[in-house]
Amino acid sequence: MAYECIEVRTEADKVGIITLARPKQLNALNDQLMTELGEALKAFDADEKIGCIILTGSEKAFAAGADIGAMAKYSFADAYKGDYITRNWEQIRSIRKPVIAAVSGYALGGGCELAMMCDFIIAADNAKFGQPEIKLGVIPGAGGTQRLPRAVGKAKAMDMALTGRMMDATEAERSGLVSRVVPLDKLMEEALGAALVISGFSQIAVMAAKESVNRAFEGTLSDGVMFERRLFHALFATQDQKEGMDAFVNKRAAVFTHQ
Ligand code: HXC
């Protein structure tokens, strides 16, 4: 499929890289971009060779939010009946392979929400995160008021949602919003390094780990622990478990076949 708002490539035949590509609009997220992003994510998810996906933007902006120009004219009826703005946004949640957000520059509003929908965020030192919707007379609409407090706690989430202020990369790492901060020119190298590590593991175990960590955010601790235990037990039915443990015992590198 030919895309206009994103660029798609693979690295080492194992990692899918999606670059948001509306640089003049600071990657403002319009309907077409979100549709294309959903298609590209689903295609990589279905590709057996791909073990991990990276989502990135430009140096200046991962994404400066949903497209304000496109939203400005909507009435409540438009937004609600057509489910405009948000209708394509949850597709990323159905992706079973890991998605790493490699964020440089602005990740604001829907851009911050999109990054938080990814499995973890690696940030460049120029990254700035924020939920400035309050300045536009609205609130976050793609999970920001739910995922941000889970990531950084209520105090900082409230501060950001109510004042619209931005958080720099250092504060984002200190608060637990991002897993790593690296110099801007090392961002893709770092993200690719992580993606290649993940791609070298059993895809089944990787998918199970993702599913299980996500469970920590929904439901109770005891349900989550039970879910994890069942998946852990189930992995003993895979060839990859035999291979991984045999390789360790025999002091050799494991070769996973994703079976
Ligand atoms: C549409 C946008 C945009 C956006 C920037 N642009 N953000 N267009 N939607 N969200 C456009 C500008 O209009 C401008 O176009 C060009 O990108 C460059 O932006 P500038 O403002 O000139 O750049 P700069 O002065 O460097 O300021 C950068 C910025 C600022 C601080 C990021 O652009 C900004 O505040 N943007 C809006 C951020 C925001 O409010 N995001 C939340 C949106 S609501 P021209 O044509 O003039 O060059 C949201 C709700 C999500 O995301 C709901 C879930 C679905």
Side-chain angles (χ1 to χ4, degrees), residues 25-206:
Q25 296 85 8
L26 305 184
N27 291 331
L29 304 163
N30 63 8
D31 215 33
Q32 185 182 351
L33 184 150
M34 292 309 294
T35 302
E36 292 182 8
L37 177 59
E39 292 301 318
L41 285 166
K42 280 188 274 185
F44 280 140
D45 209 29
D47 183 340
E48 293 201 347
K49 297 191 295 301
I50 298 297
C52 189
I53 302 163
I54 297 172
L55 178 60
T56 194
S58 68
E59 282 189 10
K60 183 168 178 190
F62 176 74
D67 192 319
I68 301 170
M71 285 187 292
K73 297 173 291 296
Y74 286 148
S75 65
F76 168 76
D78 293 332
Y80 185 79
K81 280 203 300 183
D83 202 14
Y84 292 141
I85 313 160
T86 46
R87 68 179 159 195
N88 290 322
W89 284 66
E90 294 294 309
Q91 299 192 77
I92 190 165
R93 289 185 63 199
S94 67
I95 303 303
R96 300 186 68 203
K97 291 174 185 168
V99 184
I100 301 172
V103 174
S104 46
Y106 296 111
L108 301 178
C112 186
E113 293 172 302
L114 180 61
M116 290 192 290
M117 284 180 202
C118 297
D119 295 307
F120 62 96
I121 303 172
I122 299 180
D125 51 12
N126 75 337
K128 284 193 190 312
F129 299 87
Q131 299 289 165
E133 289 89 342
I134 199 79
K135 297 181 186 173
L136 301 170
V138 290
I139 66 169
T145 63
Q146 305 305 301
R147 292 194 179 93
L148 193 60
R150 281 167 167 82
V152 304
K154 179 183 166 186
K156 276 193 189 288
M158 276 291 190
D159 181 353
M160 290 174 72
L162 295 179
T163 68
R165 79 169 174 90
M166 294 184 212
M167 205 186 244
D168 66 16
T170 307
E171 186 180 2
E173 187 183 31
R174 196 170 65 227
S175 315
L177 181 59
V178 311
S179 68
R180 314 178 190 185
V181 177
V182 294
L184 176 59
D185 62 355
K186 295 277 183 290
L187 177 65
M188 283 315 285
E189 189 181 320
E190 187 80 10
L192 193 55
L196 285 169
V197 167
I198 292 168
S199 301
F201 295 137
S202 163
Q203 281 181 14
I204 303 172
V206 163

Side-chain angles (χ1 to χ4, degrees), residues 215-234:
R215 269 290 167 120
F217 296 97
E218 288 158 24
T220 64
L221 179 64
S222 57
D223 284 348
V225 168
M226 184 56 74
F227 182 80
E228 178 197 77
R229 189 164 311 161
R230 290 292 172 255
L231 277 182
F232 175 70
H233 291 155

